Amino acid sequence: MFRSDVNLSDRQSQVLYWLAQGLTSQEIGEKLYLSAATVKNYRFQLLEALGARNAAEAVHRAHELGILR
């Protein structure tokens, strides 16, 4: 299911940005001062919000929607 009404929180947007850079949950956590488990929770929320099955698909859809440039 493709979502066009996506509204991400600031933190979700930050996690998405670092996912697009290819960072792992651990690496993102270090950048944002979060635990890897918290980052994984944000990743799950992003997948759900974007209707994606994995991080690569979430990044692709975010580009399509203009969320990432």
Side-chain angles (χ1 to χ4, degrees):
M1 174 184 202
F2 188 78
R3 301 274 313 264
S4 61
D5 61 338
V6 177
N7 291 311
L8 302 179
S9 71
D10 288 341
R11 190 59 98 182
Q12 289 171 326
S13 295
Q14 292 168 343
V15 170
L16 178 61
Y17 169 80
W18 290 114
L19 279 176
Q21 304 308 308
L23 273 64
T24 65
S25 293
Q26 181 67 38
E27 293 167 328
I28 294 169
E30 290 170 7
K31 295 261 186 207
L32 301 178
Y33 304 102
L34 300 171
S35 71
T38 299
V39 173
K40 288 177 184 178
N41 186 42
Y42 281 117
R43 287 177 67 142
F44 176 79
Q45 292 171 5
L46 286 168
L47 296 180
E48 190 172 282
L50 293 166
R53 293 174 294 207
N54 56 51
E57 189 175 323
V59 169
H60 178 76
R61 290 199 176 162
H63 277 291
E64 288 181 335
L65 293 170
I67 295 169
L68 282 174
R69 300 193 195 279

